[in-house]
Amino acid sequence: MSFQRHVAAGPWEAAAACAAQTVELINRALTGQATAALAVSGGTTPALMFDALVTLPVEWGRVHIFWVDERNVSPGDPQSNYTLTDQHLLSRCRIPRANVHRIQAELGAQAAARKYAAELQEFFRPAPGALPQFDIVHLGLGPDAHTASLFPGEALIEDRSGLAAAVYVEKLQQWRITLLPGVLLAARHTLLLATGAEKAEPLYHVMHDGYDPLRYPAQAILHHARDVDCFLDTASSARLGGG
Ligand code: 6PG
């Protein structure tokens, strides 16, 4: 397991560094396999990263893109993580539609989670007892230290066998579909992108408080994932110690 922290001056620089690392990891994966599998998060932070990524040389025909999570809305909805990715990346790069594995939230959260889990199983065809293994998983961090759609108090934070699930987020009054921790932890590389002053406090708790993933869900992944690169900026890293 390795854990690297990269602190840039501001959000654009951090996003650009995260995009460059993404390309580096895609190209590394493609030296030894036909395709690379990437799972991206949503929210707002990834927009800058996608904007940087689309300017870099990538063999998109050999990249399969999935989502870490999705809101229970239809594609095209401003809340949709797919829409964010489509606007900033998919509509601007030459990725074949067959390589885009959208979470079909319009089916309803439970059905979408079942369909997405089946698609993961079909695409990765993991060995018996193993989980789908992404080459790269991008994660964001919420102000409450959630990641993916694993929010504080969510019992599925302890799950290590499931692939994807529908979760009801009480504070948002919203259903979501999310990858589960076992799949997130199985990834070869985890890239966290967290910038801005509002991420300083959750980062402090995730990095410096005792291990309490039900309270700080991102700890479940960042403390145990195989190979973690955190892309921060001076504002989000303001409360972290050196090193
Ligand atoms: C989502 C994301 C979520 C996100 C954090 C940070 O669906 O919202 O997957 O986990 O990464 O909420 O969101 P911001 O980038 O908007 O701060």
Side-chain angles (χ1 to χ4, degrees), residues 102-162:
R102 184 176 64 82
I103 298 174
Q104 296 175 43
E106 67 276 15
L107 300 174
Q110 305 290 352
R114 282 194 300 274
K115 192 165 172 62
Y116 194 51
E119 185 165 354
L120 290 165
Q121 200 68 25
E122 172 65 22
F123 178 82
F124 288 97
R125 294 186 182 276
L131 289 169
Q133 184 173 41
F134 283 98
D135 294 293
I136 304 160
V137 165
H138 276 144
L139 292 179
L141 181 70
D144 57 2
H146 82 262
T147 195
S149 281
L150 300 167
F151 284 75
E154 173 53 60
L156 287 170
I157 288 163
E158 309 290 354
D159 184 288
R160 291 298 180 269
S161 59

Side-chain angles (χ1 to χ4, degrees), residues 64-87:
H64 284 259
I65 191 165
F66 294 75
W67 278 262
V68 166
D69 65 345
E70 185 56 278
R71 289 78 179 276
N72 193 27
V73 295
S74 299
D77 187 300
Q79 282 262 7
S80 159
N81 289 339
Y82 167 80
T83 301
L84 178 85
T85 314
D86 189 40
Q87 286 171 345

Side-chain angles (χ1 to χ4, degrees), residues 18-243:
C18 185
Q21 180 72 352
T22 302
V23 173
E24 154 70 25
L25 292 170
I26 287 172
N27 292 337
R28 192 183 306 173
L30 293 179
T31 58
Q33 54 200 53
T35 61
L38 160 70
V40 296
S41 284
T44 56
T45 305
L48 288 179
M49 195 276 293
F50 295 145
D51 289 345
L53 188 57
V54 80
T55 69
L56 300 175
V58 175
E59 282 187 84
W60 289 109
R62 296 174 67 194
V63 177
H64 284 259
I65 191 165
F66 294 75
W67 278 262
V68 166
D69 65 345
E70 185 56 278
R71 289 78 179 276
N72 193 27
V73 295
S74 299
D77 187 300
Q79 282 262 7
S80 159
N81 289 339
Y82 167 80
T83 301
L84 178 85
T85 314
D86 189 40
Q87 286 171 345
H88 291 270
L89 177 65
L90 303 180
S91 61
R92 301 162 63 195
C93 74
R94 299 170 62 81
I95 188 167
R97 301 316 286 174
N99 292 22
V100 178
H101 304 266
R102 184 176 64 82
I103 298 174
Q104 296 175 43
E106 67 276 15
L107 300 174
Q110 305 290 352
R114 282 194 300 274
K115 192 165 172 62
Y116 194 51
E119 185 165 354
L120 290 165
Q121 200 68 25
E122 172 65 22
F123 178 82
F124 288 97
R125 294 186 182 276
L131 289 169
Q133 184 173 41
F134 283 98
D135 294 293
I136 304 160
V137 165
H138 276 144
L139 292 179
L141 181 70
D144 57 2
H146 82 262
T147 195
S149 281
L150 300 167
F151 284 75
E154 173 53 60
L156 287 170
I157 288 163
E158 309 290 354
D159 184 288
R160 291 298 180 269
S161 59
L163 275 62
V167 293
Y168 186 71
V169 184
E170 195 66 44
K171 67 162 65 170
L172 300 176
Q173 301 277 298
Q174 184 182 56
W175 280 95
R176 296 221 179 158
I177 300 99
T178 187
L179 289 180
L180 290 175
V183 174
L184 298 175
L185 288 166
R188 292 188 176 88
H189 303 282
T190 301
L191 306 183
L192 174 81
L193 178 60
T195 56
E198 72 164 8
K199 305 299 169 75
E201 183 174 350
L203 273 169
Y204 173 80
H205 291 306
V206 168
M207 304 292 188
H208 291 308
D209 277 9
Y211 186 66
D212 184 358
L214 279 171
R215 186 170 180 194
Y216 308 122
Q219 286 184 331
I221 312 306
L222 298 179
H223 285 226
H224 298 296
R226 294 161 191 265
D227 177 60
V228 179
D229 282 282
C230 292
F231 293 91
L232 315 175
D233 65 4
T234 47
S236 64
S237 62
R239 292 187 54 187
L240 299 182

